[in-house]
Amino acid sequence: MTDQPKTALDQFLAAAKRIEAIHSDVKSARGIPDRVGYDIDKVAIRVETGSYWNQNIPPLAAEAAKRIKDQVAAEFRADAEHERDAKLHALAVEMETIRAALPSLAAQASIELGHQARMLAYEANGGAL
């Protein structure tokens, strides 16, 4: 069985659904750096104490741990921002493509709806105009 060609109304409704999905995808993409940052905030670097009897953490070790975490966090955030930007760019291109086709789709769907309305009125009148 072959798929029936989509009507103009089907195409218009599909475009509207995709626009709605793009808006959701944009919100998700914008949150990528924050989600990565939230995950990185959960990372803890354990610094060994001097000995069982001396539980003080050496200041240089604590500073090294902080710098390592900050550097890794900055790298992950930069990667997340790059991923966000790439996704937003792809969504912008798709949105622009839909925007360009929308007037034609709307016009075709409008003609199709008018025809359907006339056919329904004809049917409701028992086949008489």
Side-chain angles (χ1 to χ4, degrees):
M1 182 172 177
T2 60
D3 289 332
Q4 299 222 357
K6 285 188 171 184
T7 66
L9 183 57
D10 291 337
Q11 292 174 12
F12 181 80
L13 292 174
K17 286 179 184 175
R18 185 58 195 139
I19 291 167
E20 186 176 32
I22 287 172
H23 278 67
S24 177
D25 293 347
V26 165
K27 183 177 180 181
S28 177
R30 284 180 175 154
I32 291 171
D34 290 338
R35 286 191 300 277
V36 168
Y38 178 81
D39 290 348
I40 293 298
D41 283 344
K42 302 287 186 224
V43 172
I45 298 175
R46 182 171 174 255
V47 178
E48 294 288 331
T49 58
S51 68
Y52 177 75
W53 298 105
N54 179 5
Q55 295 295 311
N56 294 328
I57 296 173
L60 288 178
E63 179 62 25
K66 182 184 179 322
R67 284 186 187 181
I68 291 168
K69 183 176 178 180
D70 290 347
Q71 180 179 352
V72 169
E75 290 172 11
F76 273 76
R77 182 152 187 103
D79 290 346
E81 288 172 353
H82 178 72
E83 180 183 352
R84 175 204 57 209
D85 294 345
K87 286 184 178 187
L88 289 176
H89 178 73
L91 291 169
V93 168
E94 185 178 1
M95 192 180 287
E96 182 59 32
T97 300
I98 293 170
R99 185 213 57 82
L102 208 51
S104 175
L105 286 174
Q108 292 170 20
S110 177
I111 292 167
E112 189 175 295
L113 281 173
H115 175 71
Q116 288 179 6
R118 286 186 300 279
M119 295 306 293
L120 289 173
Y122 178 76
E123 182 181 336
N125 288 326
L129 294 175

